Amino acid sequence: MVEPILDYDSFFEGAKNALLELDTLSTEEERLTLEGERIAKAIETEKKNTSDRIADTTSKRLKEITSTYDAEIKKAEEAKKTLEAKRGKAKNKKINERIEDETKDLRDHIAATKTEIKNEMKRDGIPNFCDTGVYYTLYFPHKFIDFINIILTVVVVFLAIPVAIYKMIPQHKPIYLPFIYFAIVLLVGGLYIIIGNLTKARHRDSLLKIRAMRDTIDNDGKRINLITKEINNDSADEKYDLSSYDLEIEDADAKLQAINEKRRVAVNEFENNTKKIIADEIMENSGERINNLNKELEINKQSLGNITGRRSEINLTISDKYESYLGRDFLRTDKIEALQKLIRDKDAANISDAIDLYQSKIGKK
């Protein structure tokens, strides 16, 4: 229930004091709100920095640990590869020695046969070019590959070469082709007959004998290739006496496995124990700062709560006690002082008269 005003000065002074206190409380409430936000942000920043320091430190320590082990592992792997390479070279040497030993008779037989061929050619006065694969393919063919080579030779000599010559003649005309073929047939055929008369016709028996010896060399070469292939495909290493290399490789492999195991143990120890210890140490260092900030924030919240409660109480008091008389537009100290002066100077008898008079003067202005 609104009571009548008996003392206007006390009423106006009370209203001004209430508004002044409300303004002071509102300012303080805003300051405490901003301060609380700053403290809360500082706490979050400190927590994030702590988390980042933990992550960076543990990552760096783990990298330092693993890099040391990885360097040793790389050295151990390189040492093992070096031993394996030495073993491979030793095995290849033993294989070559075995091939040389098991094919010695065949190679000696080939060498003796070649010597016999040279002696036969020298004794019978046969030209050196007769001891070639091309000669025997053209004059003494007896293998399937010889006939294939003869067909290819005919194609090249009597097709490819004439066409190539024809293409190289400026302003070539089809009439030139018969003359080109005639010239090639005459040249190649004549040369073939001349060589045959000088060699095959004169030394037929010796050349056939040499052909047989050449076949023997070819057969010996095939047997050498077969023996070489069988030896290379033989996976058994016992006959090469590589046990000393195997022991060294086993020892190097054991060292490599031991380092890998130590690395695994070190990483597990770090992940399960050391990492937590590092995190606890960093948390302990920043824990005091975070605790102080939390205490400061708690004090701020209490102060803000008190200020907010008091501001609300004053605001309601102003609404109940003064706003009902003055209205919201006159809840300002300058206007209240103006109304107070009008009543004090007897220009107005009460608040309503003072408000009307104030508004009329403002309107005239």
Side-chain angles (χ1 to χ4, degrees), residues 185-249:
V185 169
L186 184 63
L187 178 63
V188 175
L191 185 62
Y192 180 81
I193 292 172
I194 292 171
I195 293 174
N197 290 333
L198 293 175
T199 57
K200 184 176 181 181
R202 292 182 181 182
H203 310 286
R204 181 177 181 81
D205 293 338
S206 295
L207 290 171
L208 287 173
K209 183 180 179 181
I210 292 172
R211 188 183 73 175
M213 288 187 285
R214 287 175 59 86
D215 289 343
T216 300
I217 292 173
D218 289 341
N219 291 331
D220 288 343
K222 290 178 181 178
R223 291 177 63 191
I224 289 174
N225 291 334
L226 181 61
I227 292 171
T228 301
K229 184 177 180 180
E230 289 177 350
I231 292 174
N232 286 326
N233 291 336
D234 187 2
S235 59
D237 294 343
E238 293 80 5
K239 61 187 69 177
Y240 300 125
D241 190 21
L242 301 171
S243 57
S244 60
Y245 292 100
D246 292 335
L247 290 174
E248 289 181 349
I249 292 173

Side-chain angles (χ1 to χ4, degrees), residues 66-78:
T66 54
S67 63
T68 301
Y69 279 100
D70 290 342
E72 293 300 321
I73 289 172
K74 184 177 180 181
K75 291 179 181 178
E77 289 175 342
E78 290 175 350

Side-chain angles (χ1 to χ4, degrees), residues 45 49 84 124 162 192 205 216 225 239 249 253 266 271-272 280 282-283 321 328 331 333 353 364:
T45 301
N49 291 339
E84 289 174 341
D124 209 17
Y192 180 81
D205 293 338
T216 300
N225 291 334
K239 61 187 69 177
I249 292 173
D253 188 60
E271 292 290 345
N272 297 328
D280 290 343
I282 295 175
M283 286 294 296
K321 189 172 182 180
R328 183 170 297 275
L331 287 177
T333 54
D353 290 341
K364 289 180 181 180

Side-chain angles (χ1 to χ4, degrees), residues 340-359:
Q340 183 178 14
K341 186 174 186 305
L342 290 173
I343 294 177
R344 183 181 296 166
D345 293 343
K346 306 297 185 183
D347 292 332
N350 52 48
I351 292 176
S352 297
D353 290 341
I355 290 173
D356 292 339
L357 184 59
Y358 179 87
Q359 290 176 337

Side-chain angles (χ1 to χ4, degrees), residues 131-142:
D131 186 25
T132 61
V134 174
Y135 178 83
Y136 278 96
T137 296
L138 295 176
Y139 291 96
F140 294 94
H142 65 296

Side-chain angles (χ1 to χ4, degrees), residues 16 42 54 82 113-114 127 146 159 168 170 183 198 204 211 226 234 266 293 337 349 357:
K16 287 191 292 181
I54 292 173
T82 300
T113 304
K114 287 181 177 180
D146 291 336
L159 181 61
M168 288 188 294
L198 293 175
R204 181 177 181 81
R211 188 183 73 175
L226 181 61
D234 187 2
L293 288 172
E337 287 178 351
L357 184 59

Side-chain angles (χ1 to χ4, degrees), residues 44-55:
E44 292 302 317
T45 301
E46 184 64 27
K47 288 181 178 179
K48 184 179 183 303
N49 291 339
T50 301
S51 178
D52 291 344
R53 283 198 299 272
I54 292 173

Side-chain angles (χ1 to χ4, degrees), residues 64-292:
E64 291 171 349
I65 293 172
T66 54
S67 63
T68 301
Y69 279 100
D70 290 342
E72 293 300 321
I73 289 172
K74 184 177 180 181
K75 291 179 181 178
E77 289 175 342
E78 290 175 350
K80 182 181 176 183
K81 288 180 180 179
T82 300
L83 291 173
E84 289 174 341
K86 288 182 178 180
R87 183 188 186 278
K89 289 181 180 180
K91 181 180 178 181
N92 289 335
K93 183 179 179 181
K94 297 280 187 179
I95 289 174
N96 292 333
E97 290 175 353
R98 180 184 171 191
I99 292 172
E100 186 176 352
D101 181 62
E102 295 187 15
T103 60
K104 184 177 184 304
D105 293 340
L106 293 171
R107 287 183 289 103
D108 290 344
H109 187 253
I110 290 173
T113 304
K114 287 181 177 180
T115 301
E116 188 177 351
I117 290 173
K118 289 181 180 179
N119 293 334
E120 181 70 23
M121 293 178 67
K122 185 177 181 181
R123 183 169 52 250
D124 209 17
I126 301 173
N128 289 332
F129 68 81
C130 293
D131 186 25
T132 61
V134 174
Y135 178 83
Y136 278 96
T137 296
L138 295 176
Y139 291 96
F140 294 94
H142 65 296
K143 298 178 182 179
F144 178 74
I145 189 64
D146 291 336
F147 297 102
I148 296 297
N149 289 332
I150 289 173
I151 293 173
L152 293 175
T153 301
V154 170
V155 171
V156 172
V157 173
F158 296 106
L159 181 61
I161 292 177
V163 172
I165 294 173
Y166 174 74
K167 292 291 185 181
M168 288 188 294
I169 297 175
Q171 298 179 352
H172 45 268
K173 299 178 181 179
I175 192 65
Y176 296 157
L177 280 174
F179 295 100
I180 294 173
Y181 275 104
F182 177 77
I184 290 176
V185 169
L186 184 63
L187 178 63
V188 175
L191 185 62
Y192 180 81
I193 292 172
I194 292 171
I195 293 174
N197 290 333
L198 293 175
T199 57
K200 184 176 181 181
R202 292 182 181 182
H203 310 286
R204 181 177 181 81
D205 293 338
S206 295
L207 290 171
L208 287 173
K209 183 180 179 181
I210 292 172
R211 188 183 73 175
M213 288 187 285
R214 287 175 59 86
D215 289 343
T216 300
I217 292 173
D218 289 341
N219 291 331
D220 288 343
K222 290 178 181 178
R223 291 177 63 191
I224 289 174
N225 291 334
L226 181 61
I227 292 171
T228 301
K229 184 177 180 180
E230 289 177 350
I231 292 174
N232 286 326
N233 291 336
D234 187 2
S235 59
D237 294 343
E238 293 80 5
K239 61 187 69 177
Y240 300 125
D241 190 21
L242 301 171
S243 57
S244 60
Y245 292 100
D246 292 335
L247 290 174
E248 289 181 349
I249 292 173
E250 288 178 5
D251 183 59
D253 188 60
K255 289 180 180 178
L256 178 60
Q257 291 182 8
I259 296 174
N260 276 311
E261 178 61 20
K262 288 182 179 179
R263 183 188 187 280
R264 186 189 66 79
V265 171
V267 171
N268 287 340
E269 175 64 21
F270 181 86
E271 292 290 345
N272 297 328
N273 297 313
T274 310
K275 188 175 182 179
K276 185 177 184 303
I277 293 173
I278 293 173
D280 290 343
E281 289 177 352
I282 295 175
M283 286 294 296
E284 184 178 355
N285 293 335
S286 63
E288 184 176 355
R289 290 191 295 272
I290 293 175
N291 288 336
N292 290 336

